[in-house]
């Protein structure tokens, strides 16, 4: 049975990781040696943190004032199957126990217009959850049942009443839900893919939308991006599949002209939609296991200068993370940054030319997605990304040089993207990152001001749209 819990926190002591000594090479900047952890900690842990959960965290956090009380809450999924709502001091305000590990990252949105925030998140138990943590109930959506009974509301079940034996036949929901009004009816819809190869578009009231689900034949771990790609007046859905294709569909599930586009290997990266070339249309940026980072027009054609690759373009050097976009160089144009599975974090200009490349060695892998913000308060942007070597890296957006105080040893491999947000309301940015050992919050000196964190979390915003703020 699923369960809701309210209880007090416990504070674990993280296991230390040795300070790295490897040399980092940046292009076009010269080689340099990363800073060791300084005596004065520039990014101390926030009081009450870290917090632990069995198995740790592979979900990216979202932060918002859920109940309108003026204090922000932090929401994240845990490997032990819980969805946790934390107070700024590390105490657990509420928890929802699902039937399987939660790798999905939450969307936070007022679905019903009631003024409070609902949490939308998938679970490996094959259900999509909608939960208002201020109430003692949640709804679990059995997607496969809803596909056959779209006009009924029986597929929504109170968590306390649903039995594990009612598991649907569709796959696990390890991707993250995206939220938008797909069909223009004035109500918000939810989009998520599953490991059985189905992509679902669901309305919280009426069920699965007409024309959905669509199938990609292979598992979908890529989280969909939502925007009007062809400027046709409706919302479009773009995602990658383990069938090696980049898929694009309109609001009724019809495949867009020029898609799907086949790559040379599977895709688990999630797409970003951003205007790269100054025309009226958003472009698609997505990584592949074939070690290419793709830039695609709305027609499915490659943009001039794209796809791009790193200097270590060898088998196993693909991109599992999802790109972040921001004006890293300060020239007024958008740049794209991502790390690969062979130790390189690189940034490219909108035309596909290399801005910089930082090489940490082929034995370091980056699966986590980068985030971008001014964490040190110098008025310039930094790129924050976690490595499977158990270190948190921060690089100067202009050059790729290591930011003072990094890399920072954590207590295990970092698989999910960090989040930049002011958790405790003191006016500066905090860095939130999950590991197998716990959920950490580092107090950064950079101020939480408009424009200071242009790509603050895995899917850009709390609706998980994959689209940067205007």
């Amino acid at each position: 049975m699923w369960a809701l819990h309210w209880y007090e926190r416990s504070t674990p002591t993280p296991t230390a990781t040795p300070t790295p000594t490897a040399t980092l090479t940046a292009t076009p900047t010269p080689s340099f040696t990363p800073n060791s952890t300084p005596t004065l900690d520039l990014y101390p842990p926030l009081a009450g943190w870290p917090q632990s959960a069995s198995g740790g965290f592979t979900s990216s956090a979202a932060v918002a004032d859920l109940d309108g009380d003026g204090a922000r809450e932090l929401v994240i999924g845990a490997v032990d199957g819980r969805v946790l709502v934390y107070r700024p001091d590390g105490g657990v305000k509420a928890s929802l126990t699902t039937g399987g590990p939660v790798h999905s990252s939450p969307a936070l949105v007022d679905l019903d217009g009631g003024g409070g925030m609902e949490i939308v998140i998938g679970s490996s138990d094959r259900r999509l959850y909608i939960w208002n943590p201020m109430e003692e109930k949640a709804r679990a959506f059995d997607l496969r049942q809803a596909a056959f009974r779209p006009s009924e509301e029986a597929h929504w079940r109170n968590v306390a009443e649903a039995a594990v034996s009612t598991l649907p036949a569709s796959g696990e929901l390890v991707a993250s839900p995206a939220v938008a009004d797909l069909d223009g009816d004035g109500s918000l819809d939810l989009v998520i893919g599953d490991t059985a190869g189905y992509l679902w578009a669901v309305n919280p009231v009426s069920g699965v939308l007409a024309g959905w689900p669509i199938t990609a034949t292979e598992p979908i771990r890529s989280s969909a991006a939502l925007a009007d790609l062809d400027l046709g007046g409706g919302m479009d859905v773009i995602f990658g599949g383990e069938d090696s294709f980049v898929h694009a569909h309109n609001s009724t599930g019809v495949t867009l002209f020029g898609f799907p586009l086949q790559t040379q290997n599977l895709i688990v990266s999630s797409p970003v939609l951003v205007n790269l070339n100054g025309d009226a249309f958003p472009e698609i940026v997505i990584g592949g296991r074939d070690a290419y980072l793709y830039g695609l027009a709305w027609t499915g054609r490659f943009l001039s200068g794209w796809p791009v690759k790193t200097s270590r373009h060898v088998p196993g050097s693909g991109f599992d993370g999802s790109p972040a976009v921001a004006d890293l160089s300060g020239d007024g144009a958008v740049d794209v940054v991502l790390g690969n599975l062979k130790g390189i974090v690189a940034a490219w200009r909108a035309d596909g030319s290399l801005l910089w490349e930082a090489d940490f060695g082929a034995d370091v892998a980056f699966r986590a997605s980068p985030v971008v913000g001014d964490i040190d308060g110098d008025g310039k942007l930094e790129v924050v990304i976690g490595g499977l070597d158990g270190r948190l890296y921060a690089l100067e957006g202009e050059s790729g040089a290591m930011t003072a105080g990094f890399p920072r040893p954590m207590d295990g491999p970092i698989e999910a993207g960090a989040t930049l947000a002011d958790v405790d309301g003191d006016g500066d940015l905090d860095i939130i990152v999950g590991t197998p050992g716990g959920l950490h919050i580092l107090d950064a000196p950079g101020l939480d001001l408009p424009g200071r964190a242009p790509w603050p979390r895995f899917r850009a915003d709390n609706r998980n749209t994959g689209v940067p703020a205007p």
Side-chain angles (χ1 to χ4, degrees):
M1 300 288 290
W2 298 298
L4 296 165
H5 300 283
W6 284 260
Y7 50 85
E8 295 303 317
R9 63 176 172 83
S10 62
T11 305
T13 301
T15 302
T17 302
T19 301
T21 58
T23 298
L24 179 153
T25 301
T27 305
T29 56
S31 299
F32 61 90
T33 302
N35 300 305
S36 59
T37 304
T39 302
L40 175 63
D41 193 350
L42 301 177
Y43 300 87
L46 207 63
W49 299 87
Q51 291 296 320
S52 65
S54 178
F57 301 87
T58 56
S59 168
S60 292
V63 176
D65 180 2
L66 298 179
D67 54 6
D69 65 353
R72 296 178 180 180
E73 286 81 33
L74 185 156
V75 183
I76 194 168
V79 175
D80 65 9
R82 291 181 296 164
V83 183
L84 292 155
V85 179
Y86 287 101
R87 294 188 294 266
D89 64 1
V92 175
K93 190 168 187 174
S95 72
L96 167 69
T97 300
T98 75
V102 181
H103 306 293
S104 180
S105 297
L108 307 181
V109 61
D110 182 4
L111 285 176
D112 57 11
M117 290 276 190
E118 281 79 39
I119 299 167
V120 185
I121 196 167
S123 172
S124 297
D125 69 3
R126 306 181 182 186
R127 289 189 170 88
L128 180 64
Y129 289 84
I130 294 180
W131 176 35
N132 184 333
M134 302 306 109
E135 300 177 1
E136 295 186 20
K137 63 181 180 180
R139 290 187 291 173
F141 197 84
D142 289 350
L143 292 170
R144 183 57 60 93
Q145 292 182 13
F148 294 118
R149 300 188 297 173
S151 62
E152 300 181 16
E153 293 192 26
H155 44 264
W156 287 112
R157 302 173 183 271
N158 284 336
V159 172
E161 300 171 356
V164 175
S165 61
T166 64
L167 287 177
S170 59
E172 298 178 7
L173 302 179
V174 298
S176 300
V179 182
D181 180 5
L182 282 191
D183 53 9
D185 67 351
S187 63
L188 293 172
D189 306 302
L190 319 174
V191 179
I192 192 169
D194 67 31
T195 58
Y198 291 94
L199 189 80
W200 303 85
V202 181
N203 184 275
V205 176
S206 58
V208 176
L209 300 185
W212 301 85
I214 58 96
T215 181
T217 71
E218 295 291 338
I220 301 172
R221 290 180 170 84
S222 173
S223 300
L226 308 179
D228 185 1
L229 187 65
D230 58 4
L231 303 185
M235 196 67 69
D236 302 310
V237 180
I238 300 89
F239 67 99
E242 292 192 20
D243 58 0
S244 81
F245 286 91
V246 180
H247 298 263
H249 298 263
N250 69 13
S251 61
T252 61
V254 175
T255 301
L256 296 182
F257 175 80
F259 292 91
L261 174 84
Q262 187 170 21
T263 66
Q264 301 174 49
N265 206 328
L266 61 85
I267 300 174
V268 297
S269 176
S270 300
V272 166
L273 303 180
V274 61
N275 194 320
L276 291 177
N277 58 13
D279 65 3
F281 297 88
E283 282 77 48
I284 303 167
V285 184
I286 188 170
R289 279 277 180 91
D290 59 5
Y292 285 101
L293 180 62
Y294 291 89
L296 305 173
W298 66 275
T299 58
R301 295 181 178 273
F302 294 131
L303 297 175
S304 176
W306 298 79
V308 296
K309 60 184 180 180
T310 69
S311 62
R312 186 173 291 119
H313 189 258
V314 296
S317 62
F319 297 101
D320 274 11
S322 303
V325 297
D327 179 10
L328 299 177
S329 61
D331 63 357
V334 68
D335 306 300
V336 181
V337 63
L338 187 56
N340 75 3
L341 295 173
K342 288 293 184 180
I344 289 179
V345 181
W348 294 268
R349 300 178 183 89
D351 62 4
S353 62
L354 183 67
L355 179 63
W356 51 260
E357 183 178 280
D359 187 353
F360 297 91
D363 57 343
V364 176
F366 294 99
R367 181 168 290 149
S369 302
V371 294
V372 179
D374 178 14
I375 62 169
D376 60 5
D378 66 352
K380 300 178 182 180
L381 297 178
E382 285 77 44
V383 176
V384 179
I385 186 170
L388 294 183
D389 62 346
R391 299 180 182 107
L392 184 67
Y393 295 79
L395 309 175
E396 295 299 313
E398 288 183 326
S399 65
M402 192 73 74
T403 300
F406 292 89
R408 188 179 184 93
M410 306 301 287
D411 53 3
I414 302 171
E415 296 200 32
T419 298
L420 305 179
D422 182 8
V423 176
D424 56 357
D426 65 353
D428 58 28
L429 288 173
D430 303 309
I431 304 172
I432 308 159
V433 61
T435 69
L439 181 61
H440 302 258
I441 301 183
L442 307 178
D443 192 5
L447 297 179
D448 181 25
L449 296 173
R452 293 291 182 94
W455 196 270
R457 64 182 302 249
F458 163 51
R459 300 303 292 143
D461 57 26
N462 277 349
R463 292 192 178 191
N464 290 341
T465 61
V467 178

